Amino acid sequence: MLKLIIADDERVIRESISSLIDWNSLGIELVGTCRDGIEAYHMILDESPDIVMTDIRMPGLSGLELIERIYQADMDTQFILLSGFGEFEYAKQAMKYRVHHYLLKPCNEEQIVESMQDVIKEYYHRQAFQDLKERQKALTANLHHSIMGNIINEQIFKSDPAEYSWNAYSGFMDFYHTWYELCFLHYLEETYLNSILSLIYDYMAEHAPGIELYCIYVKNSLILFFERYQVSYEEFDVFMQSLTPKELLFQLDYKRITFQSLNQLLEVLITKIRRYGIIYYMNGLEPVPTCNYKNLITKIEQLTASLIETDGTELKPRLEELTAALNDISNTDFLKQACSRILIKLATETSYLSSVDTTEYLMDLNQQTEYGQIRYMLCKKLNEILKKSSTRSQRYSPFIDKIIHYVEDHLGDPNLTLKCIAENHLFMNVDYVSKRFSKETKQKFSNYITALRIQKAKQLLAEGHTEQIQWVAQQVGCGNNPQYFSQIFKKSTGMTPSAYAKKLNGGE
C-alpha cells in the first residue's frame, strides 16, 4: 500500500479529511496527520511517505517550503496542495517542484478521492518507467562487463600496440569520446581484497549510482576504472587513501590517472597487466582468473576466425578442431573465458548470434561450476550456430526467398499463413510450396514462423517491454491473445515471458 501523510494547521480540516475517506479502499495507508510544516517535515523524514497532502500556509514551515526541502532531499514523494481561493496563484510556484495537484478549500469527498486517484495513477506510471530504466540499465551493465572482460582477455596476448582495435565492439561501448578514470591500489594482499572492494562498491553506489565500475586484481594490486562523472575527485582520492587495513604496518599506495578516452586507458592498462601470469577480472567480489595460456588462446582465436570465414563442407572439420582445442583447457574458469571469447566474437562479427542471445547464454554459462557441463553447453551452441550457418549459406529457390522476406516484413500479422502467402502473393499451389519450403529450409513453416516470433519477443523483452506483455504479443503476431503468446514462449524457452525478462536482468 502507498503511505500518506496529511498536514494542515486547522484541526477540523485534517481530522475531517483523515476520517472522511476510506483510505484502504484506495490502496493507501494513512500513517499520520501533522499540525504544522515542521512536524510534517520530520514525519516525512521518518516515514518516507509516497504521498503528502499539505496546506499551503502553515506556521513554522509553509507548504511550499516543505515541498522545497523534500525536493532538495531528492525524495520521491508526491504532493497534493490544499489552498484557499486567493492563494491559488501563489500555489503555482510549486510547479517548479513538479507539483501539479491542488485542492481548493473547501473540498468534498469526491474531489479528494478524484485527486488522490490521479496521484496514485501518476505514481505507478513513474514507478513503471523507473523499473523499465533499471532493467535496461542492468541488461546494459551485464553486456558491458562481459565485453570488457573479453577485451582484456583478448588484448593481453597481443604484443604489438599497433594491433589494438576496438572496432568490433564500438557498437556496444564508446571507446573514443568519453573520459575515464584509472586507479591503482598497490600492496593490497589478497586476504583484504574482498573487504576493501566492498567498501569501494558501497562508496560508488552512494556517490556515483549508475556508474559501472570495472575491477582487475593482479599480484597485490587492485586496478579500477570507470567513466568520468565529475570534475573534482578530491573526496574520492581521500576515501581511497583511507582504505589501508588497520592490521597493516604500511600505507597502501594509491594513484589515479585521467584519460580522455577508453581506448587510451585500455592501451596503458593492458601494457601494465600483460606481464602477469594470472589476471583476475572481478565479477563483483568473485575473481575470475585469466591464465596466460598464450599459445592456446592464439590457436582458439585462429580457429574461431576460420570458423567465421568458412562455409559449406569445411565448417564441420573447423568446428571439430576448435572443440579439440577446448579439450586442452583444464581450468574451469579459463574454459568459461574461452567460451565467452568465442561467443562474443561470433556475436560481433557474424549475424548468427544477437546481443540478447549472447547475454542470455553467457549468464547461463557463468552459473555453471562443472567443467563437463560448460564444455557441453558450448559445443551444443556451436553446433546450433553451425547448423544455422549451413542453412543460411544455401541458395534457396527464388520463391522460398520471397516467403522468408515476406514473413520478416509481416511478422506482426496474426493471420499470416503459408496458404495466404502461396495463393495471394506467389500464386502457387500451397501443397507444393509447403513441401519445397520444408525440403529447402529443413523445417516446417509453422516451426519457422514460431521460432522467428520467439526471437522477436526476446528482443522486445530485452529492450524493457516487460510490463507490456499484451503489446509484445501483438508485435510478434499473436494478436490480442497474451495467454497464447505466453504458452508458445514457455514451450520454446521453458519459462514465461516475465520470468525470462527477470532472468535476463539478473533476477531482479
Side-chain angles (χ1 to χ4, degrees), residues 204-273:
M204 293 296 288
E206 180 180 353
H207 294 86
I211 297 296
E212 295 172 29
L213 181 64
Y214 304 98
C215 308
I216 295 172
Y217 184 71
V218 288
K219 201 172 183 179
N220 294 344
S221 291
L222 177 61
I223 305 171
L224 315 169
F225 60 100
F226 51 88
E227 184 178 327
R228 186 178 177 87
Y229 63 91
Q230 61 186 35
V231 176
S232 174
Y233 284 86
E234 290 183 10
E235 183 181 343
F236 177 80
D237 291 341
V238 170
F239 164 75
M240 292 294 292
Q241 290 164 353
S242 71
L243 289 175
T244 300
K246 295 180 180 178
E247 304 87 84
L248 293 183
L249 301 177
F250 54 87
Q251 185 79 17
L252 296 181
D253 181 39
Y254 167 70
K255 182 180 180 181
R256 178 176 56 82
I257 308 172
T258 301
F259 291 87
Q260 294 185 358
S261 63
L262 180 57
N263 74 305
Q264 293 177 2
L265 182 152
L266 288 173
E267 289 181 12
V268 171
L269 171 64
I270 291 165
T271 300
K272 289 182 177 294
I273 67 175

Side-chain angles (χ1 to χ4, degrees), residues 5-9 31-49 51-55 58-63 65-67 69-70 75 77 79:
I5 287 176
I6 298 173
D8 198 297
D9 58 336
V31 295
T33 60
C34 306
R35 58 190 174 187
D36 57 48
I38 295 176
E39 186 177 334
Y41 177 68
H42 291 155
M43 186 176 289
I44 291 172
L45 295 182
D46 292 336
E47 298 290 342
S48 298
I51 306 170
V52 174
M53 182 182 292
T54 178
D55 188 13
M58 292 184 294
L61 201 66
S62 72
E65 291 171 331
L66 174 65
I67 292 170
R69 288 199 179 189
I70 298 304
M75 297 181 67
T77 303
F79 282 89

